[in-house]
Amino acid sequence: MGNPRKPDPIGRAAHVAARIGAVRRRTVELAAPLTAEDAMVQSMPDASPAKWHLGHTTWFFETFVLARAERDFRAFHPRYGYLFNSYYEAAGPRQPRPSRGLLSRPPLEEVLRYRAEVDARLAAAFGAGLAPDLVDVAELGAAHEEQHQELLLTDVKHAFASSPLRPAYGPLPPAPARPAPALAFVPREGGVVEIGASGPGFAFDNERPRHRTWLEPHALASRPATCGEWLAFMADGGYRRAELWLAEGWDAVRANGWEAPLYWERDGAGWAVYTLGGMRAVADAEPVQHVSFHEADAFARWAGARLPTEPEWEVAAAAAGAGEGHFADAGRLQPDAAPARPGLVQLAGDVWEWTRSAYGPYPGFRPLSGALGEYNGKFMVSQLVLRGGSCLTPAGHVRPSYRNFFPPGARWQSSGVRLARDA
Amino acid sequence: MGNPRKPDPIGRAAHVAARIGAVRRRTVELAAPLTAEDAMVQSMPDASPAKWHLGHTTWFFETFVLARAERDFRAFHPRYGYLFNSYYEAAGPRQPRPSRGLLSRPPLEEVLRYRAEVDARLAAAFGAGLAPDLVDVAELGAAHEEQHQELLLTDVKHAFASSPLRPAYGPLPPAPARPAPALAFVPREGGVVEIGASGPGFAFDNERPRHRTWLEPHALASRPATCGEWLAFMADGGYRRAELWLAEGWDAVRANGWEAPLYWERDGAGWAVYTLGGMRAVADAEPVQHVSFHEADAFARWAGARLPTEPEWEVAAAAAGAGEGHFADAGRLQPDAAPARPGLVQLAGDVWEWTRSAYGPYPGFRPLSGALGEYNGKFMVSQLVLRGGSCLTPAGHVRPSYRNFFPPGARWQSSGVRLARDA
Amino acid sequence: MGNPRKPDPIGRAAHVAARIGAVRRRTVELAAPLTAEDAMVQSMPDASPAKWHLGHTTWFFETFVLARAERDFRAFHPRYGYLFNSYYEAAGPRQPRPSRGLLSRPPLEEVLRYRAEVDARLAAAFGAGLAPDLVDVAELGAAHEEQHQELLLTDVKHAFASSPLRPAYGPLPPAPARPAPALAFVPREGGVVEIGASGPGFAFDNERPRHRTWLEPHALASRPATCGEWLAFMADGGYRRAELWLAEGWDAVRANGWEAPLYWERDGAGWAVYTLGGMRAVADAEPVQHVSFHEADAFARWAGARLPTEPEWEVAAAAAGAGEGHFADAGRLQPDAAPARPGLVQLAGDVWEWTRSAYGPYPGFRPLSGALGEYNGKFMVSQLVLRGGSCLTPAGHVRPSYRNFFPPGARWQSSGVRLARDA
Amino acid sequence: MGNPRKPDPIGRAAHVAARIGAVRRRTVELAAPLTAEDAMVQSMPDASPAKWHLGHTTWFFETFVLARAERDFRAFHPRYGYLFNSYYEAAGPRQPRPSRGLLSRPPLEEVLRYRAEVDARLAAAFGAGLAPDLVDVAELGAAHEEQHQELLLTDVKHAFASSPLRPAYGPLPPAPARPAPALAFVPREGGVVEIGASGPGFAFDNERPRHRTWLEPHALASRPATCGEWLAFMADGGYRRAELWLAEGWDAVRANGWEAPLYWERDGAGWAVYTLGGMRAVADAEPVQHVSFHEADAFARWAGARLPTEPEWEVAAAAAGAGEGHFADAGRLQPDAAPARPGLVQLAGDVWEWTRSAYGPYPGFRPLSGALGEYNGKFMVSQLVLRGGSCLTPAGHVRPSYRNFFPPGARWQSSGVRLARDA
């Protein structure tokens, strides 16, 4: 996006149209286990109801594609722009974020009709020949919707975990069948390297431009940290020792009473964890998830290590190749134990990995033009980058150059830790 | 309640059983226009979702009647005590009040099944012969459920008014067909009077014991203040003149930006109001409602008057007789204009009337024993008494001795103003 | 005030002038143990720095007497109206209350010069012959300043108790030399009684008019509750048993972590208390103080009693006569043990006594005219009346009809408990 | 600090001792214009009273030098560790930061005695021969105290600006005698560069290790942005146009009502500004200061530019040489107009310059050992780096590698803007 592309061949539009169709169907599938009541819950201001995700992703296509592509465009409903705009100032006022849970109307079934109508009109627009720049926007819309697929799952998880009944979204994920392989630190060379997206394939504006940077020699952990390792951190007073924490993190520990990752609950002498399939015992072999940057950073300090930087991670991931992560499509919706294989494993899928890089613009960064320029650029302060992809990420959504970002206290994403060390 | 009664004749239990049946059916009728999604909305911590009201009123009978009446009592669901307890410390921990909107589970239909099962078991318990003290508790349960019928309506109103779509619960109430009669002040004598409930009929513990008090000569307004009079208050700078307000009220005006009653919205040069039937123009002749104690008090000061006290109101109401108020059963769900009739009118129905009496215990007050002692007594500070009954109150629910109470800033009840004056 | 008075004889003005002189000198004496730094501390929004009290009481005379009495009135400083107005909306904008501690300027010595100049000008105005209505206002100013003398002490106490060094304001008050006499309940008759101020002597507008009210037979405790009795309440789980508390009180217990009166600190197995003379052991025989209404109410419920009402208290106090309380002038600044004498003792001095009467207007209440109408009337909601007078109250300041008032959670006044019972 | 040094020659200890003496005297000089009352004000939680700065800097030497150097160490006062510890968890509990303004005791004069005693004992310790590692800590203490000299001034400025009397700390700084030179963008080459402190001279741990990084070609503004340019930004709707702001910045604009830099006040049609010498008109030629990162970032976007990064700034500053900034020692305490000279000017002194670099560890960063490891490292998240030095910074305190850091919303430092551009 926002970079020069070759003229759009017929094939590209058709490919994008097909991709949109698949993504749109998948979103509805992900919402299928939810009742209309489930789809309304907003359990904290950072999360949104599933119904809102269903509407918002549709509004995105309606507003940024159909409104420009259709000659006689008419909005499905005059108030949906207000209801389903997320944060685009240029697109007008909107329902306050913390009040998305008040929207009993429109009912879920009407939002599904909204989806169906917009899908049909999108198909018609593609059929009539969409201008290349709108094909670009439509492709962005598909990637955008995949991001909301993941948020739909993280938000349902938070909502269900907030219910005293702890309902299950799907089947209970079994504990891993194998232990986690021993942790190794893999040495990595320094020097001038290149990171960022290049070439014609889709990437977000924040992944561009590809540019050079300098790396010092370092080492990366062969796999993400496990729940077993996290239990050792806890047993060693990890949540009670100020010297392990950044000042802001220590404040968060005390203000929020953190003593374990989010969704962990004491169960007799041990710990149970809420999964999207319900409660079960914490499994040592699983990568730990639902930890904040602050927890990840303290854990790394405790381990005599540090978190990786963006370039360290990206160069390694680009070299490592695709890997065998467990993405959302696998249906487990919970990370699994790492494979016993030399080198760096589980770089994508399973858990997002906190880096110690603040989220900011790359040298020469140019946001998209118009309202879509608000997509990524306006969040470039006070957040940290996560890399990888998780068990709730749609397969095929991520790339080595992909940059996820959240504030340092966020825990409701599937966020874990890969350690790094100076050489 | 809590007072000596004659031994329970067969007839009384049957009467109570019949009353419970009618009340319970009516609650379900009131919820019938709501979708399962509507029944989940909690638009502020003071309000509760309709589904919660349906569950809580059922839990009340299950906990305070069935658990004592059934030999082999088993709760419908082991977690409903946690979900549906409102504030009874003696009945154990409970879902935090501001989080009642997170309960997508149990679904509405299961709560209705819960209602049906408890209704059936109640009928069986009555059939098997209920101990007189449990008949008393069951009768209290019916009155309790009627209170929640009114709250269900006030809370749905708040929820719908919070939605950008302003959905309607029922048909639009037309503007009154007649103008309001001119306001008159009716002189009332002083001296030693008696107030409070006496005799064997049902009354809440806070209405007892009947006792003597002293009244100075005074005068009461013939009818509640109207929207037309409120518009005059507003036009005269009522919301901008500090000297009209109590200090706490003036703080509330500025903190909340009050400039009109709740649910009023500017509509061009005039004002529209949200009713349970949707938006329409403010009607001069209607009693004003959805004003806080602070607003009522400032309005009275502006009018050169004051609010009545509890005894002034009760003595007058007892003398005036039943009257012709518009209660919820009439289906208008909005106050109507006062009848043109001499004396005091609209003392019950239409709007609750703020008094300047703080809610407290009567001399010799004794709360019910056990958990039910928490019903009324533990709120006897920081609240003001309202008298009368409103267009959302079930007909037959109130008495001249009835004491409603809310904090001075509450606006979401159907609360209005009857003026008073020193003689 | 605000009631018909006889024409002002020469003697009355001279009497008021002399009284003002004595009161003004006393305020400066009370501030004398404080450094300029001490006089600046504002340890919570409810409290004010001593320097502010010194300035505010002076501004009161300057604004409400001199500005009306002097032909060529000129304010001492153009910004002092802003700095030292407390809450009089009619007197213009003012320094926000929570920010009074930011006023390093004017320095304390300049505020003392301000006092001296206003004192001289007041004396001159009296010498030139003050109009009777301004003599009334000046007399109010003296009573007003006495109230601020007490607040100066309560606020210094809070400030010093907030300091890690716990500095002393004066000498350490010794523990009482005698034990408290046994508690007795003294029966009191019911019937029509009269309360409120009458006659030409000074009283605040909120004490008027004298009026009739009805009392049921009851009994009053012979003396205030002691620290020894409070320790028994604590030992019996008083702060941990929800059933003893009003709902709002129980919320306050948990939100604030109350487990003893304010200024009590654990000291090994026992309790120490901060006094204006520093820390020392809690003395069983002393009346308990620094408890909120909520604590007083819970204690009464625990004791099988209740708090008295205003009329109960006032009728008893008027009958009991002056008594032998320990007021601020005695220099102890801490309550002392009750005398062993039949009947009701310590009705004034030692501790203020919470009543269960909400603070409101008497029948026929008329506030003073103009800005001074804000003195008392605008606080007549959400507060409870206290009666008596305390060890921090100037001797001669109080009357049986005197009404003090604070919100139910306030603890930093010298507030204690006298129990009552229904007959 | 924390890096290998040559064995300490006699000369070095003497040099450090002399430097400490000069710095310590300077701090007292800076506090001299303040009354004891002024030295107590804490006008917001981020700021501290001057008396606290005087005590804390002394505690630093007492705790980290004397307690290790003196054989029979005894603290000046047993509670000063509690009172004057800032944030060192390893040094024990401490007065809560927002409550530093409550410390009327110890009085200012005792804190000055504390200073004198610690100074004398430090001199004695140096005289007796201080271990090289303690000479290092003492040198750090001098740099630490210089940082608090600047904070003392920024905090007094905030305190005085919060007073309705707007008192002056010193003489009024005149408007610049010359206009600002035209703004030019100076091209800068890219490539592998080195930044960070090296060599034996003092630097904070966060400036080390010196390391390589990569720069793209870019351009830097020749001088900081001026008030005249800021007025143009404001006139062009800078504070009202969402598209210019990061999302968090736009939230801050609305939540705080920002419409101009801190300390600017409307004055008729124009703007006045509070300086440490009192109020005067905003001067076009002066570098703008007291803007947050968010404002700096929005201004840059409006100007079609961006903020510089740390390496861009440091490499340029290292090349530019010392320059002619106006530091605190010049006594103006307000930035002055830039000199008309080619190249980059005012890189140090006048105003701190926000970078867009998040504050984080350099590759290979090692914090100091023990409690002093908390000095810099534990703040390495959620803050942005500022470079340069300001009119409130002691001359000689800064270096090209110096890293200042504050959260993005902070405005009370002397923080301004130097623009940058991609080549």
Side-chain angles (χ1 to χ4, degrees):
Chain A
M1 295 301 305
N3 285 54
R5 298 258 183 109
K6 292 181 189 165
D8 180 41
I10 299 294
R12 183 166 121 72
H15 169 77
V16 169
R19 171 158 156 67
I20 288 173
V23 168
R24 299 277 294 164
R25 281 188 296 277
R26 177 64 176 153
T27 308
V28 174
E29 283 170 21
L30 286 171
L34 305 176
T35 66
E37 291 154 286
D38 294 336
M40 262 196 64
V41 181
Q42 180 178 39
S43 50
M44 65 169 173
D46 283 339
S48 296
K51 183 164 69 176
W52 187 89
H53 287 298
L54 291 166
H56 166 68
T57 46
T58 305
W59 168 85
F60 191 97
F61 283 110
E62 185 185 36
T63 302
F64 297 122
V65 179
L66 293 186
R68 302 178 195 179
E70 294 182 346
R71 190 191 310 256
D72 301 316
F73 172 77
R74 195 166 156 204
F76 179 82
H77 189 290
R79 295 295 283 162
Y80 280 17
Y82 183 87
L83 295 181
F84 293 127
N85 179 0
S86 53
Y87 56 66
Y88 296 87
E89 300 280 350
R94 57 201 171 280
Q95 176 78 349
R97 178 169 193 140
S99 300
R100 290 176 182 165
L102 305 184
L103 302 175
S104 70
R105 311 287 178 95
L108 176 58
E109 58 188 15
E110 185 171 319
V111 172
L112 294 174
R113 280 197 298 274
Y114 176 40
R115 290 186 67 87
E117 176 177 314
V118 166
D119 285 347
R121 286 163 63 179
L122 265 178
F126 270 101
L130 206 53
D133 62 323
L134 289 184
V135 174
D136 284 352
V137 173
E139 188 179 27
L140 174 64
H144 169 258
E145 183 142 348
E146 286 179 329
Q147 292 182 314
H148 279 276
Q149 287 174 0
E150 179 154 3
L151 291 172
L152 186 153
L153 291 172
T154 60
D155 296 356
V156 163
K157 188 169 185 178
H158 195 270
F160 278 2
S162 301
S163 165
L165 300 180
R166 303 278 191 283
Y169 166 86
L172 188 70
R178 59 193 175 202
L183 186 74
F185 278 88
V186 179
R188 307 278 314 159
E189 287 182 6
V192 173
V193 296
E194 279 202 0
I195 63 166
S198 63
F202 176 80
F204 287 109
D205 55 2
N206 65 8
E207 301 173 54
R208 299 185 193 271
R210 189 163 177 85
H211 63 283
R212 278 169 286 187
T213 189
W214 176 268
L215 284 188
E216 296 293 322
H218 59 281
L220 292 178
S222 54
R223 57 157 175 78
T226 62
C227 291
E229 287 156 354
W230 203 267
L231 286 162
F233 167 67
M234 289 162 59
D236 196 34
Y239 284 94
R240 296 188 305 274
R241 291 164 53 188
E243 74 271 20
L244 297 175
W245 296 77
L246 292 172
E248 185 182 283
W250 186 239
D251 288 346
V253 167
R254 287 177 299 179
N256 302 304
W258 289 346
E259 52 174 15
L262 183 63
Y263 302 137
W264 287 33
E265 302 181 11
R266 286 183 190 282
D267 183 21
W271 290 88
V273 61
Y274 178 75
T275 73
L276 275 168
M279 299 294 306
R280 69 150 159 77
V282 165
D284 280 8
E286 271 181 12
V288 70
Q289 59 173 344
H290 298 299
V291 297
S292 62
F293 167 82
H294 291 309
E295 289 163 289
D297 176 82
F299 174 83
R301 195 166 289 110
W302 169 79
R306 61 168 173 82
L307 299 179
T309 65
E310 278 201 88
E312 289 170 352
W313 194 97
E314 180 170 334
V315 170
E324 61 293 279
H326 307 92
F327 289 97
D329 310 65
R332 178 177 167 84
L333 305 182
Q334 182 78 1
D336 205 344
R341 198 164 56 72
L344 304 174
V345 298
Q346 284 189 320
L347 279 157
D350 295 287
V351 293
W352 288 102
E353 301 177 5
W354 284 108
T355 73
R356 81 174 183 194
S357 297
Y359 177 52
Y362 281 166
F365 169 66
R366 295 256 172 266
L368 298 179
S369 61
L372 290 174
E374 301 186 45
Y375 197 101
N376 279 310
K378 76 181 191 181
F379 303 107
M380 289 180 168
V381 71
S382 302
Q383 312 220 30
L384 281 300
V385 173
L386 300 100
R387 294 296 194 116
S390 83
C391 56
L392 304 180
T393 306
H397 177 66
V398 291
R399 296 162 289 285
S401 62
Y402 194 98
R403 308 174 77 196
N404 197 357
F405 51 91
F406 278 92
R411 309 173 93 202
W412 92 111
Q413 297 298 303
S414 178
S415 48
V417 189
R418 180 183 303 269
L419 297 175
R421 278 193 192 152
D422 297 327
Chain B
M1 296 297 309
N3 285 54
R5 299 260 183 106
K6 292 178 188 166
D8 181 40
I10 299 291
R12 182 167 123 71
H15 168 77
V16 168
R19 171 158 156 67
I20 288 172
V23 167
R24 297 278 293 163
R25 281 188 296 277
R26 176 64 177 152
T27 308
V28 174
E29 283 170 21
L30 286 171
L34 305 175
T35 66
E37 290 154 286
D38 294 335
M40 263 195 65
V41 181
Q42 181 178 37
S43 48
M44 64 170 175
D46 284 339
S48 296
K51 183 164 71 177
W52 187 89
H53 287 297
L54 291 165
H56 166 68
T57 47
T58 305
W59 168 86
F60 190 99
F61 284 109
E62 185 185 37
T63 304
F64 297 122
V65 179
L66 294 186
R68 303 177 194 179
E70 294 182 346
R71 188 191 310 258
D72 301 318
F73 171 78
R74 193 165 156 204
F76 179 82
H77 188 289
R79 293 296 281 162
Y80 281 16
Y82 183 87
L83 296 181
F84 292 127
N85 179 359
S86 53
Y87 54 67
Y88 296 87
E89 300 282 349
R94 58 201 169 281
Q95 177 78 350
R97 178 168 193 141
S99 300
R100 290 175 182 165
L102 304 185
L103 303 175
S104 70
R105 312 287 179 96
L108 176 58
E109 59 187 14
E110 185 170 320
V111 172
L112 294 175
R113 280 197 298 274
Y114 176 39
R115 290 186 67 88
E117 176 175 315
V118 167
D119 285 347
R121 287 162 62 179
L122 265 177
F126 270 101
L130 206 54
D133 63 324
L134 289 184
V135 174
D136 284 352
V137 172
E139 188 179 27
L140 173 64
H144 169 260
E145 182 142 348
E146 286 180 328
Q147 293 181 315
H148 279 277
Q149 288 175 0
E150 179 155 1
L151 291 172
L152 186 154
L153 291 171
T154 59
D155 295 357
V156 163
K157 188 170 185 178
H158 195 272
F160 278 1
S162 300
S163 165
L165 300 181
R166 305 278 191 283
Y169 167 84
L172 188 70
R178 58 191 177 204
L183 187 76
F185 278 89
V186 180
R188 307 277 315 158
E189 287 182 6
V192 172
V193 296
E194 279 202 359
I195 64 167
S198 64
F202 176 80
F204 287 109
D205 55 3
N206 65 9
E207 302 172 54
R208 300 186 192 271
R210 189 162 176 86
H211 62 283
R212 277 169 287 187
T213 188
W214 175 269
L215 283 188
E216 295 294 324
H218 60 282
L220 292 178
S222 53
R223 56 159 175 75
T226 62
C227 291
E229 288 157 354
W230 203 268
L231 286 163
F233 168 66
M234 289 162 60
D236 197 32
Y239 283 94
R240 296 187 305 273
R241 291 165 53 189
E243 75 271 19
L244 298 174
W245 296 77
L246 293 171
E248 184 181 285
W250 186 238
D251 288 346
V253 167
R254 286 178 299 180
N256 302 305
W258 289 346
E259 52 173 17
L262 183 63
Y263 302 137
W264 288 32
E265 302 181 11
R266 287 185 191 279
D267 183 19
W271 289 89
V273 61
Y274 178 75
T275 72
L276 276 167
M279 299 294 306
R280 70 148 158 77
V282 165
D284 280 9
E286 271 180 14
V288 70
Q289 60 173 344
H290 297 300
V291 296
S292 63
F293 167 81
H294 290 309
E295 290 163 288
D297 176 81
F299 174 83
R301 196 167 289 110
W302 169 78
R306 61 167 172 82
L307 299 179
T309 65
E310 278 202 87
E312 289 169 352
W313 194 96
E314 180 169 335
V315 170
E324 61 292 278
H326 308 91
F327 289 98
D329 309 67
R332 177 177 168 84
L333 305 182
Q334 182 77 2
D336 205 344
R341 200 165 54 73
L344 303 174
V345 298
Q346 286 191 318
L347 280 155
D350 295 288
V351 293
W352 289 101
E353 301 177 6
W354 284 107
T355 72
R356 80 174 184 194
S357 298
Y359 177 53
Y362 282 166
F365 168 67
R366 295 257 173 264
L368 299 178
S369 61
L372 290 173
E374 302 186 46
Y375 196 102
N376 279 309
K378 76 179 189 183
F379 303 108
M380 289 179 169
V381 70
S382 303
Q383 312 219 30
L384 282 300
V385 172
L386 300 100
R387 292 297 194 116
S390 83
C391 56
L392 305 181
T393 307
H397 177 65
V398 291
R399 296 160 292 284
S401 62
Y402 194 98
R403 309 173 79 197
N404 197 357
F405 50 90
F406 279 92
R411 309 173 92 202
W412 93 110
Q413 298 299 302
S414 179
S415 48
V417 189
R418 179 182 304 269
L419 297 175
R421 277 192 192 154
D422 297 327
Chain C
M1 296 299 308
N3 285 55
R5 298 259 182 107
K6 291 180 188 164
D8 180 40
I10 299 293
R12 184 167 121 71
H15 169 78
V16 168
R19 171 158 157 67
I20 288 173
V23 168
R24 298 279 293 166
R25 281 188 297 277
R26 176 64 176 152
T27 309
V28 174
E29 283 170 21
L30 287 171
L34 305 175
T35 66
E37 291 154 285
D38 294 336
M40 263 195 64
V41 181
Q42 181 177 37
S43 49
M44 65 169 174
D46 284 339
S48 296
K51 183 164 71 177
W52 188 89
H53 287 298
L54 290 165
H56 166 68
T57 47
T58 305
W59 167 86
F60 191 97
F61 284 110
E62 185 186 37
T63 303
F64 297 123
V65 179
L66 293 186
R68 303 178 195 179
E70 294 182 347
R71 189 192 308 259
D72 301 317
F73 172 78
R74 194 164 155 206
F76 179 82
H77 188 291
R79 294 294 282 162
Y80 281 16
Y82 183 88
L83 296 181
F84 293 126
N85 179 0
S86 52
Y87 55 66
Y88 296 87
E89 300 281 348
R94 56 201 169 281
Q95 177 77 350
R97 179 168 193 141
S99 300
R100 290 176 183 164
L102 304 185
L103 302 175
S104 70
R105 312 288 177 94
L108 176 58
E109 58 187 13
E110 185 171 319
V111 172
L112 294 175
R113 279 197 298 274
Y114 176 40
R115 290 186 67 89
E117 176 176 316
V118 166
D119 285 349
R121 287 163 63 178
L122 266 178
F126 270 101
L130 208 53
D133 63 323
L134 288 184
V135 174
D136 283 353
V137 172
E139 189 179 26
L140 174 65
H144 168 260
E145 182 143 348
E146 286 180 328
Q147 293 181 315
H148 280 276
Q149 288 174 0
E150 179 155 3
L151 292 172
L152 186 153
L153 291 171
T154 59
D155 295 357
V156 163
K157 188 169 184 178
H158 195 271
F160 278 1
S162 301
S163 165
L165 299 180
R166 304 279 191 281
Y169 166 86
L172 188 70
R178 57 192 177 204
L183 187 75
F185 278 88
V186 179
R188 308 277 315 158
E189 287 182 5
V192 173
V193 296
E194 278 202 0
I195 63 166
S198 64
F202 177 81
F204 287 109
D205 56 3
N206 65 7
E207 301 172 54
R208 301 186 192 271
R210 188 162 177 86
H211 63 283
R212 278 169 287 190
T213 189
W214 176 269
L215 284 187
E216 296 293 322
H218 59 281
L220 292 178
S222 55
R223 56 154 177 79
T226 63
C227 292
E229 288 157 354
W230 203 269
L231 286 162
F233 168 67
M234 289 162 58
D236 197 32
Y239 284 93
R240 296 188 305 272
R241 291 165 54 188
E243 73 272 19
L244 297 175
W245 297 78
L246 292 171
E248 184 181 285
W250 186 238
D251 289 346
V253 167
R254 286 177 300 178
N256 302 305
W258 289 346
E259 52 174 16
L262 183 64
Y263 302 137
W264 288 32
E265 302 180 12
R266 287 183 190 281
D267 183 21
W271 289 88
V273 61
Y274 178 74
T275 73
L276 275 168
M279 299 294 306
R280 70 149 159 74
V282 165
D284 280 9
E286 271 180 13
V288 69
Q289 59 174 344
H290 298 299
V291 296
S292 63
F293 167 82
H294 291 308
E295 289 163 287
D297 176 82
F299 174 83
R301 195 166 290 111
W302 169 79
R306 60 167 172 83
L307 299 179
T309 66
E310 277 201 87
E312 289 169 352
W313 194 97
E314 181 170 334
V315 170
E324 62 294 276
H326 307 91
F327 290 97
D329 310 66
R332 178 177 166 84
L333 306 182
Q334 182 77 1
D336 205 345
R341 201 163 55 72
L344 303 175
V345 298
Q346 285 191 319
L347 279 156
D350 295 287
V351 293
W352 289 101
E353 301 176 5
W354 285 108
T355 72
R356 81 174 183 194
S357 298
Y359 176 51
Y362 282 166
F365 169 66
R366 294 256 173 266
L368 299 178
S369 60
L372 291 173
E374 301 186 47
Y375 197 101
N376 278 310
K378 75 180 190 182
F379 303 107
M380 289 179 168
V381 70
S382 303
Q383 312 220 29
L384 282 300
V385 173
L386 300 100
R387 293 297 194 118
S390 83
C391 56
L392 305 181
T393 307
H397 177 66
V398 292
R399 297 161 289 285
S401 62
Y402 194 98
R403 309 173 79 195
N404 197 358
F405 50 90
F406 278 92
R411 310 172 93 202
W412 92 111
Q413 298 299 301
S414 178
S415 48
V417 189
R418 181 182 302 269
L419 297 174
R421 277 192 193 153
D422 297 327
Chain D
M1 296 299 306
N3 285 55
R5 298 260 182 108
K6 291 179 189 167
D8 181 39
I10 299 293
R12 184 167 121 72
H15 169 77
V16 168
R19 172 158 155 68
I20 288 173
V23 167
R24 298 278 294 164
R25 281 188 296 277
R26 176 65 178 155
T27 308
V28 174
E29 283 170 22
L30 286 172
L34 305 175
T35 66
E37 290 154 286
D38 294 336
M40 263 195 65
V41 182
Q42 181 178 38
S43 48
M44 64 169 175
D46 284 338
S48 295
K51 183 164 71 177
W52 188 89
H53 287 298
L54 291 166
H56 166 68
T57 47
T58 305
W59 168 86
F60 190 98
F61 284 108
E62 186 185 37
T63 304
F64 297 122
V65 179
L66 295 186
R68 304 179 196 178
E70 294 181 346
R71 189 191 309 257
D72 302 317
F73 172 79
R74 193 165 157 205
F76 178 83
H77 188 290
R79 294 295 281 162
Y80 281 16
Y82 183 87
L83 296 181
F84 293 127
N85 180 0
S86 52
Y87 54 68
Y88 296 87
E89 300 282 349
R94 57 202 170 281
Q95 176 78 349
R97 179 169 192 139
S99 300
R100 291 176 182 164
L102 304 185
L103 302 175
S104 70
R105 312 289 178 94
L108 176 59
E109 59 187 15
E110 185 171 320
V111 172
L112 294 175
R113 279 197 299 274
Y114 177 40
R115 290 186 67 87
E117 176 176 316
V118 166
D119 285 346
R121 286 162 64 178
L122 265 178
F126 270 100
L130 206 55
D133 63 323
L134 289 184
V135 174
D136 284 352
V137 172
E139 188 179 26
L140 173 65
H144 169 260
E145 182 143 349
E146 285 180 329
Q147 293 182 315
H148 279 277
Q149 288 175 0
E150 179 155 2
L151 292 172
L152 185 153
L153 291 172
T154 60
D155 295 358
V156 163
K157 188 169 184 177
H158 195 272
F160 278 3
S162 301
S163 166
L165 299 181
R166 304 277 191 283
Y169 167 85
L172 187 70
R178 60 194 176 202
L183 186 76
F185 278 89
V186 180
R188 308 278 313 159
E189 288 182 5
V192 172
V193 296
E194 280 202 359
I195 64 166
S198 63
F202 176 80
F204 287 109
D205 56 3
N206 65 9
E207 302 172 54
R208 300 185 192 270
R210 189 163 176 85
H211 62 284
R212 277 170 287 187
T213 188
W214 176 268
L215 284 188
E216 295 294 322
H218 59 282
L220 292 178
S222 53
R223 55 158 177 76
T226 62
C227 291
E229 288 157 355
W230 203 268
L231 286 163
F233 168 67
M234 289 162 60
D236 197 34
Y239 283 94
R240 297 188 304 273
R241 291 165 52 189
E243 74 271 21
L244 297 174
W245 297 78
L246 293 171
E248 185 181 284
W250 186 238
D251 288 347
V253 167
R254 286 178 298 180
N256 302 305
W258 289 346
E259 52 173 17
L262 183 63
Y263 302 137
W264 288 31
E265 302 181 12
R266 286 185 190 279
D267 183 19
W271 290 88
V273 61
Y274 177 75
T275 73
L276 275 168
M279 299 294 306
R280 71 150 159 74
V282 165
D284 280 8
E286 271 180 14
V288 70
Q289 58 174 344
H290 297 300
V291 296
S292 62
F293 168 81
H294 290 310
E295 289 163 287
D297 177 81
F299 174 83
R301 196 166 289 110
W302 169 79
R306 60 168 173 81
L307 299 178
T309 65
E310 278 201 88
E312 288 170 353
W313 194 98
E314 181 170 334
V315 170
E324 61 291 282
H326 307 91
F327 289 96
D329 310 66
R332 177 177 168 84
L333 306 183
Q334 182 77 2
D336 205 343
R341 199 165 55 73
L344 303 174
V345 298
Q346 286 190 319
L347 279 156
D350 295 287
V351 293
W352 289 102
E353 302 176 5
W354 285 108
T355 72
R356 80 174 185 195
S357 297
Y359 178 52
Y362 282 166
F365 168 67
R366 293 256 171 266
L368 299 178
S369 60
L372 290 173
E374 301 186 46
Y375 197 101
N376 279 308
K378 76 180 189 181
F379 303 108
M380 289 179 169
V381 71
S382 304
Q383 313 219 30
L384 282 300
V385 173
L386 300 101
R387 292 297 194 114
S390 83
C391 56
L392 304 181
T393 307
H397 177 65
V398 291
R399 295 160 292 283
S401 62
Y402 194 98
R403 309 173 79 196
N404 198 357
F405 50 90
F406 278 92
R411 308 173 93 202
W412 92 110
Q413 298 299 302
S414 178
S415 48
V417 189
R418 180 183 302 270
L419 297 175
R421 277 193 193 153
D422 297 328

